[in-house]
Amino acid sequence: MSTVTKLKLPMPRLGETMEQGTISTWLVKPGENFARGDPLLELETDKTLVEYPALGAGKLIEMLVGPGDVVDVGAPIAIIETSDVWDGVADVPASEEPVDQPRSASPPENTSNSDLQAIAGKWRATPLARRLARQGGVDLSFLEGTGRRGRIEARDVQSFIEANTNPVTSAAALTNGAIDPGPVLFIHGFAGLGSNWEKLRANMQKSGLKAEAPDMPGHGRNGADANSVEECVTWLGSVLNEQDRPVHLVGHSFGAHVAALAANRARSKISRLTVVAPAGCGHDIHGDFLHGMAHARTAGELMHLLRLLGSEASHLPPDAVEAMACELAKGRLSPLAGAIARGNTQCIDTIAALSALSENVPVKAIFGSADRIIPKEHIFNMPPRVASHIVPTGHMPHWDSPALLERLILRVD
Amino acid sequence: MMAGKNNLPAKNSGLADLYRQMRRVRTFEERVGEIFVRGKSAGSMLHLSVGEESAAVGVCSNMREGDTFTTHHRGHGIFLARGADPARMMAEIAGKEAGYCHGKGGSMHIADMGLGHLGANAIVGGGIPAVVGAGLAARNGKKDVVSLAFFGDGATGQGILYESMNMAALWKLPVMFVCINNQYGMGTRIDQATANPRLHERAEAFGLSARTVDGFEVEDVADAAAELIAGARAGKPAFLAIECYRFYGHARKDKSPYRDEVEESEGRQKDPVLRARTKLIASGLMAEADLDAMDAEIAREMDATIDFAVSGSEPQMSSMFRDVYAPEEPEPEPVRTRVERILARE
Amino acid sequence: MAMIETTYRDALRLALTEAMREDDAVIIMGEEVGRYGGAYGVTKGLIEEFGEDRVIDTPISEAAIVGAAVGAAMAGLRPVAELMYVDFIGMTMDQLANQAAKIRYMFGGQIGVPMVLRTQGGTGRSAGAQHSQSLEAYVMHTPGLRLAMPATVEDAYHLLRQAMKQPDPVVFIEHKGLYTMKGELDTSAEPAAWGKARVMREGSDVVIVSYSRQLHHALAAAETLEKEDGVQAAVVDLRTLNPVDFSTIRPLVERAGRAIVVSEGVMTAGVAAELAARITEECFDYLEDPVVRVAGEDIPISVSPLLEKHSVPTPEFITEVARMMLK
């Protein structure tokens, strides 16, 4: 005689999608015996009314639920006594589906600058061109496309690669004309860094040109403080003194003012001057930006200010923004900000220096048509001998259109 | 009184053997219901032929080796009656590798070419025209075989049945169309699905030899089938409608909400298996104790099929791409392989 | 054997005749195939040679024709069923897609369905919207069904003979505009093996991939491009859409960097879409232009000859597209 055991009968799963059932009618009473196959109760699923049969002979001891009760699959509905084996009574099967990996919320890493440009801007290069560029180590942002809608095609990459084997001719190829092979010295703007010029500087270096971009006093790795404009100009003067050949001086924004003044005092050290989105060329400036930068404490504040610079600036990686904010929170630039502008009014003048310099030295000015810091209208204040260009960028043309900037900087007009 | 090899009924089998076959079908189907309730069947589409055993057994007892057939989705009993191994059937129903179709067909696409089962079909009427083709092959190859299509009353709404009957009659093919009329196509009673529920009349209209028989008495079914199948072998294609009552709802163990209590309980009284058992005892052909012993042995046999099915292994993942085409042909490329190739870094 | 001058239609008939002589199991069944000789004359004369047990005129019952062919194939015959117009394929879809295509798989590899369903489609006869379609996409989208579409006289013979030897069901779609096309046929020389595409013309400026009647439009466009523009266009005849021979297409596209897929079926969700996606995925790094599809307009076909002509690709339009791409 086999042993009699008490079992808790669970609510069966009678359909793949069944999660619950409603008890309809018990067909046996407590104390009543049943045979294998006898229906024990009727229950309702969302689809139909179903009988649940006994899987072995036994006796109902106790009903745990009653008519009308809604019961989850697997929950106990009765206690029975049986000497048969009632195995595998519809337990809730373990899900065999692999757990979905949570989607990563952060943007893909390794998105190169050129990819960002492609995302942010128009479609730029064919798949074939991209592959050739990848294999040849060419930064696509330096190419101008000759294909449909201005896109870069394979032949554009191939000519660039060929031309690159000879540094001088490569730069000439880029500029379609005579170039100035002399060293370039880049001066960044207020609250910026020498590394703002990195794209241009590195590409020029690759073409065999010497190019440097130091940090101004009060900025980056330059430990000296800059409490006045004069201190910056003096610093640049001493940098120029160390040059063994005349340099092509390129200054941006406030750096353009510093460059113009320093160049004026050391004309023999200069082969040419290019000012990019120059400060001091008109009455207005975006004062909130200037003073905001000088007093920024958090990455959040900084992001809002950076967005004023243009599309590329808002794509800076978060850790770079964080680093900048830390630097600015030190407050080294406060005095300088006050020297440059009071409210929205510029306190410095670059025009006089440009006018004087352009008598002997080629001077070029580049303004961004969408510049929100320095109004593009300041182009009308340029002295007649300064060759002036408008480019379709914001306040950072060397970020927004590096290829174009490089060409304008290098070309001898 | 014992069956011939492969569980096929011996020739001139009497009522006892018909009863034994029906009891095997009944018990098997009850176990199928159990395996469903236990959550061990593959999928939730299971159609039990409880109450229709006389149709399967009565007709199949007149088939010979070499004959072929197709079934509908309620065809377990027919397959068993033709000699199928219930353990392999149960394994297939459970979607296991050891099943007749290696777990790929399940209850509704079960088949065995060796026993002449050209396949169960989940499409109502889907398996009917195949027997016309089999009939053409028999005719052209001068083979003395018949081909039977089993389907339910629901299929009488499908045009393909009439196209097929027309062709069979036109070409005098050795085929028979067997309609197991359990009065319901899914939830719709036959008199709500057609104005003329005397189904054999339509077959007669096409030129087939046709009869309707009450499935309550398995011997009546067997006699009708014997006559019609013999005629089909001689080039007179036939149609047989068998009236039964389906004991459960459309699928598994539904208690049909669309049939009222009275109809249900009356229907359940027309149990052909019980009827045969009662007759055997009443006529003194078999003692009750012997019948009990027979039933118990069958119960043991069918219990074992559950263990076989439950303990069987799942099909291998690699079998997923097999048998789309012939074995000598390349298998379709998995999506993963293709994507990995396309996105590979150089 | 010798080279013969024949037509696409006669080449089909020759293939059927020889196959039926070699194997008693080969039967033909369909509407008007026997006494009438086939709606397009392909089976003319066959009932006289092989008798009505092997060339079977059926009632107008497309579903049962295909269904019976399925059963006959399972029972040991090698049926070649005929569907008079591919436009009627809808009546047969259960037997084709749910039965023929799936029997081997559902039944665990126990048996195959070695049948051929011959049919024809395409524009050119002002036959109207219900008799002019190109529905090969329905078949290509059904795993288990092989799909062959002969473009040349040679393939009318060889591709059909190859199809009749396949162990799996083949849908064989002829083009009504090609039946009278003349060409040379060498019955002993296969132009290509079953499942292999054929490069009809070499070229490294652009690759045009096509099949069936549009292959000839593509070849005409390639001629024009060479003569008038000095452009070298490669042209590929796919011959079969299941299996698709991608290995022949790939090196050509990698070299040219540009591809055009030409198909008479409608643009949306069609064969050209599948091929273009495939080429783009597999040859992405070599592409200078998107893979462009030149396919049928997403409209029913008109009876008006002028509208009908321009509802599907023309040689002139294919030429124009290539020029737009290469400009």
Side-chain angles (χ1 to χ4, degrees):
Chain A
M1 283 289 253
S2 45
T3 49
V4 169
T5 47
K6 273 211 173 79
L7 288 182
K8 253 197 204 150
L9 207 63
M11 179 68 153
R13 183 189 295 278
L14 296 174
E16 278 144 356
T17 55
M18 180 180 168
E19 296 298 326
Q20 287 181 329
T22 307
I23 307 296
S24 177
T25 319
W26 278 99
L27 300 172
V28 285
K29 294 193 290 291
E32 211 178 298
N33 284 317
F34 49 81
R36 178 180 181 176
D38 284 349
L40 295 175
L41 71 156
E42 286 177 358
L43 45 93
E44 245 179 79
T45 67
D46 53 354
K47 297 234 168 87
T48 184
L49 189 62
V50 189
E51 276 174 1
Y52 179 37
L55 294 177
K59 181 160 76 177
L60 178 64
I61 302 300
E62 189 188 342
M63 302 183 294
L64 298 173
V65 291
D69 287 344
V70 177
V71 184
D72 287 339
V73 167
I77 57 173
I79 299 181
I80 59 158
E81 215 174 66
T82 180
S83 52
D84 284 345
V85 178
W86 283 52
D87 64 332
V89 179
D91 16 18
V92 182
S95 169
E96 261 132 25
E97 251 94 50
V99 174
D100 274 324
Q101 296 302 320
R103 285 256 171 77
S104 161
S106 54
E109 302 153 358
N110 306 330
T111 310
S112 71
N113 224 347
S114 60
D115 289 350
L116 279 173
Q117 286 221 295
I119 295 163
K122 54 189 164 67
W123 187 77
R124 295 204 56 213
T126 69
L128 178 57
R130 285 175 193 280
R131 177 167 68 84
L132 294 173
R134 203 166 60 231
Q135 285 167 348
V138 174
D139 185 335
L140 282 172
S141 62
F142 282 93
L143 300 180
E144 278 184 17
T146 58
R148 208 197 312 279
R149 294 189 290 260
R151 71 189 180 198
I152 298 166
E153 297 198 343
R155 62 171 168 238
D156 301 320
V157 178
Q158 272 147 356
S159 350
F160 185 87
I161 289 173
E162 274 159 29
N164 248 342
T165 54
N166 184 339
V168 172
T169 53
S170 77
L174 192 63
T175 60
N176 298 330
I179 56 127
D180 177 355
V184 181
L185 185 61
F186 289 107
I187 308 299
H188 64 81
F190 182 78
L193 292 167
S195 60
N196 292 164
W197 298 101
E198 188 50 31
K199 239 178 172 326
L200 248 59
R201 201 201 59 77
N203 210 54
M204 286 179 182
Q205 203 104 304
K206 251 197 335 206
S207 307
L209 295 162
K210 188 158 169 283
E212 276 167 28
D215 292 337
M216 270 204 286
H219 296 78
R221 280 181 287 223
N222 192 327
D225 280 330
N227 295 314
S228 67
V229 176
E230 185 52 39
E231 280 170 43
C232 297
V233 178
T234 308
W235 162 79
L236 182 51
S238 59
V239 172
L240 286 171
N241 253 336
E242 285 157 25
Q243 302 297 315
D244 52 9
R245 279 185 293 156
V247 299
H248 180 169
L249 194 53
V250 181
H252 171 250
S253 198
F254 174 64
H257 175 74
V258 172
L261 265 55
N264 215 10
R265 298 179 198 174
R267 289 187 198 189
S268 60
K269 294 294 184 179
I270 306 293
S271 62
R272 50 206 309 114
L273 171 70
T274 300
V275 292
V276 181
C281 295
H283 182 260
D284 314 324
I285 190 170
H286 195 311
D288 284 345
F289 173 81
L290 187 71
H291 295 293
M293 291 299 275
H295 300 105
R297 289 185 176 283
T298 67
E301 273 181 78
L302 191 51
M303 267 317 293
H304 294 306
L305 293 167
L306 289 177
R307 285 193 189 101
L308 295 170
L309 292 180
S311 61
E312 278 310 297
S314 34
H315 285 116
L316 282 175
D319 46 310
V321 178
E322 194 60 56
M324 272 180 80
C326 280
E327 184 59 36
L328 291 170
K330 294 179 192 164
R332 292 164 80 192
L333 297 178
S334 200
L336 203 51
I340 295 170
R342 193 185 67 244
N344 290 329
T345 305
Q346 300 209 40
C347 303
I348 51 175
D349 173 34
T350 312
I351 295 170
L354 292 175
S355 186
L357 195 60
S358 61
E359 301 221 4
N360 319 100
V361 169
V363 178
K364 195 180 284 192
I366 301 173
F367 286 84
S369 61
D371 192 332
R372 293 171 72 176
I373 313 299
I374 305 273
K376 61 182 179 289
E377 286 78 15
H378 289 190
I379 197 175
F380 293 121
N381 300 331
M382 288 296 97
R385 277 183 300 273
V386 172
S388 303
H389 298 260
I390 281 251
V391 295
T393 68
H395 185 59
M396 311 290 285
H398 44 312
W399 282 6
D400 291 348
S401 292
L404 184 53
L405 255 286
E406 193 188 4
R407 188 197 213 107
L408 290 174
I409 286 169
L410 290 179
R411 192 157 65 188
V412 175
D413 292 318
Chain B
M1 289 297 192
M2 294 311 287
K5 63 178 196 287
N6 298 332
N7 296 319
L8 285 168
K11 273 191 147 162
N12 304 316
S13 56
L15 183 59
D17 201 71
L18 294 174
Y19 169 80
R20 196 182 69 82
Q21 293 293 321
M22 289 199 291
R23 175 58 67 190
R24 288 184 80 243
V25 174
R26 172 68 57 97
T27 309
F28 180 80
E29 294 287 67
E30 285 175 344
R31 296 299 176 271
V32 172
E34 262 188 44
I35 207 175
F36 170 76
V37 162
R38 289 190 188 189
K40 302 293 185 195
S41 62
S44 54
M45 308 253 258
L46 278 183
H47 304 88
L48 303 181
S49 58
V50 175
E52 302 175 13
E53 296 85 350
S54 58
V57 171
V59 175
C60 290
S61 64
N62 290 286
M63 291 173 73
R64 301 204 286 242
E65 204 170 323
D67 291 343
T68 58
F69 62 102
T70 59
T71 71
H72 54 336
H73 52 282
R74 199 177 297 284
H76 296 161
I78 298 157
F79 193 21
L80 261 179
R82 284 304 294 145
D85 173 357
R88 286 182 69 194
M89 283 182 71
M90 194 65 87
E92 186 58 37
I93 289 166
K96 298 298 178 77
E97 168 63 41
Y100 269 103
C101 304
H102 304 299
K104 286 177 164 167
S107 164
M108 293 196 294
H109 305 302
I110 204 162
D112 183 47
M113 300 305 137
L115 291 174
H117 191 353
L118 300 179
N121 224 293
I123 303 290
V124 174
I128 293 175
V131 302
V132 171
L136 285 173
R139 176 192 77 178
N140 282 23
K142 300 191 175 27
K143 290 183 275 187
D144 182 17
V145 293
V146 292
S147 194
L148 271 61
F150 290 88
F151 49 91
D153 47 288
T156 60
Q158 282 286 309
I160 190 69
L161 171 62
Y162 306 102
E163 294 187 20
S164 304
M165 292 202 293
N166 185 44
M167 283 181 177
L170 181 65
W171 299 325
K172 302 186 179 27
L173 298 177
V175 306
M176 180 151 103
F177 301 92
V178 182
C179 178
I180 304 179
N181 182 1
N182 62 15
Q183 317 301 318
Y184 278 84
M186 272 189 76
T188 305
R189 213 172 55 216
I190 189 162
D191 61 345
Q192 293 162 336
T194 181
N196 179 357
R198 294 176 300 285
L199 301 173
H200 68 273
E201 289 180 1
R202 353 182 141 190
E204 275 170 359
F206 279 99
L208 298 166
S209 308
R211 279 184 59 179
T212 296
V213 70
D214 183 348
F216 186 47
E217 303 272 4
V218 65
E219 287 171 308
D220 290 347
V221 178
D223 288 342
E227 185 190 324
L228 291 172
I229 288 177
R233 283 193 207 283
K236 292 209 298 276
F239 176 99
L240 177 63
I242 305 161
E243 297 190 332
C244 321
Y245 194 79
R246 192 211 309 160
F247 278 21
Y248 300 107
H250 175 60
R252 31 182 224 276
K253 295 179 89 70
D254 288 354
K255 187 149 175 239
S256 12
Y258 40 78
R259 302 195 282 191
D260 62 39
E261 290 283 342
V262 171
E263 192 190 320
E264 271 258 272
S265 60
E266 273 179 8
R268 289 194 185 216
Q269 283 171 27
K270 300 202 76 182
D271 181 342
V273 182
L274 203 50
R275 172 71 183 144
R277 196 179 212 266
T278 309
K279 261 177 100 170
L280 281 169
I281 296 170
S283 65
L285 281 169
M286 271 191 83
E288 190 164 0
D290 292 334
L291 284 164
D292 288 345
M294 181 192 281
D295 291 352
E297 196 200 316
I298 290 171
R300 278 192 295 278
E301 181 192 3
M302 298 312 175
D303 285 345
T305 69
I306 296 192
D307 297 330
F308 181 74
V310 169
S311 63
S313 52
E314 307 274 341
Q316 298 264 358
M317 279 295 287
S318 57
S319 75
M320 197 158 98
F321 292 89
R322 199 175 301 142
D323 298 325
V324 183
Y325 304 104
E328 61 267 24
E329 301 289 317
E331 291 184 1
E333 184 178 33
V335 172
R336 168 174 291 278
T337 310
R338 173 185 280 201
V339 172
E340 282 176 356
R341 180 180 69 247
I342 289 162
L343 295 177
R345 292 271 161 234
E346 268 149 326
Chain C
M1 297 291 165
M3 193 80 90
I4 53 172
E5 174 86 22
T6 185
T7 63
Y8 185 91
R9 166 177 37 227
D10 291 351
L12 293 164
R13 187 183 317 116
L14 185 59
L16 292 169
T17 308
E18 289 185 358
M20 291 183 79
R21 284 177 186 161
E22 287 166 23
D23 184 359
D24 280 347
V26 178
I27 63 167
I28 293 178
M29 51 196 298
E31 297 160 17
E32 313 301 340
V33 295
R35 291 173 294 265
Y36 192 86
Y40 283 90
V42 174
T43 51
K44 192 146 162 230
L46 294 180
I47 196 171
E48 286 81 2
E49 180 172 346
F50 299 104
E52 59 184 24
D53 275 5
R54 291 182 67 196
V55 182
I56 305 172
D57 277 323
T58 64
I60 303 176
S61 306
E62 286 79 11
I65 290 168
V66 176
V70 170
M74 290 174 78
L77 294 180
R78 303 290 296 220
V80 180
E82 185 181 292
L83 183 67
M84 202 188 277
Y85 284 80
V86 76
D87 310 69
F88 307 158
I89 204 169
M91 338 280 294
T92 70
M93 275 321 263
D94 181 70
Q95 291 300 319
L96 260 186
N98 284 333
Q99 315 299 332
K102 295 180 171 60
I103 277 171
R104 187 190 287 280
Y105 189 84
M106 289 192 298
F107 300 161
Q110 292 183 49
I111 194 165
V113 183
M115 62 173 274
V116 176
L117 177 63
R118 280 186 49 249
T119 184
Q120 58 77 23
T123 59
R125 295 279 190 108
S126 279
Q130 296 174 342
H131 289 77
S132 307
Q133 295 170 88
S134 297
L135 299 179
E136 55 269 20
Y138 295 1
V139 180
M140 197 181 188
H141 191 64
T142 309
L145 294 180
R146 298 300 194 187
L147 174 55
M149 297 188 67
T152 60
V153 170
E154 296 161 288
D155 273 336
Y157 175 85
H158 287 284
L159 200 55
L160 183 52
R161 293 230 65 188
Q162 290 167 355
M164 288 195 280
K165 294 196 182 91
Q166 293 306 304
D168 292 307
V170 180
V171 178
F172 190 87
I173 307 182
E174 300 152 13
H175 196 289
K176 58 168 72 57
L178 294 179
Y179 282 126
T180 53
M181 176 173 70
K182 290 202 184 70
E184 291 194 326
L185 169 63
D186 178 353
T187 57
S188 62
E190 277 183 353
W194 171 263
K196 297 299 286 175
R198 202 173 153 202
V199 181
M200 303 298 281
R201 195 181 221 275
E202 287 279 2
S204 56
D205 291 325
V206 62
V207 183
I208 308 179
V209 178
S210 190
Y211 60 94
S212 193
R213 202 233 340 215
Q214 288 296 332
L215 173 76
H216 301 283
H217 289 188
L219 285 168
E223 272 285 312
T224 307
L225 287 166
E226 181 178 40
K227 272 208 193 76
E228 296 180 16
D229 304 29
V231 163
Q232 300 302 325
V235 178
V236 179
D237 178 8
L238 285 172
R239 301 174 73 240
T240 54
L241 295 177
N242 180 337
V244 162
D245 175 15
F246 196 75
S247 68
T248 296
I249 299 174
R250 187 204 299 272
L252 295 172
V253 175
E254 287 181 358
R255 184 161 49 129
R258 292 182 159 91
I260 298 173
V261 184
V262 182
S263 161
E264 193 160 319
V266 302
M267 177 69 83
T268 298
V271 169
E274 162 65 27
L275 293 168
R278 186 106 193 250
I279 295 172
T280 304
E281 283 181 330
E282 308 249 13
C283 305
F284 187 76
D285 288 334
Y286 295 87
L287 293 176
E288 277 280 63
D289 260 312
V291 178
V292 171
R293 298 169 285 162
V294 181
E297 303 288 356
D298 285 329
I299 58 178
I301 305 293
S302 301
V303 164
S304 143
L306 178 69
L307 295 184
E308 180 189 52
K309 177 173 177 201
H310 294 285
S311 302
V312 298
T314 59
E316 296 76 27
F317 187 53
I318 299 169
T319 308
E320 219 185 301
V321 170
R323 283 175 172 157
M324 283 195 268
M325 190 182 262
L326 290 160
K327 197 166 50 183

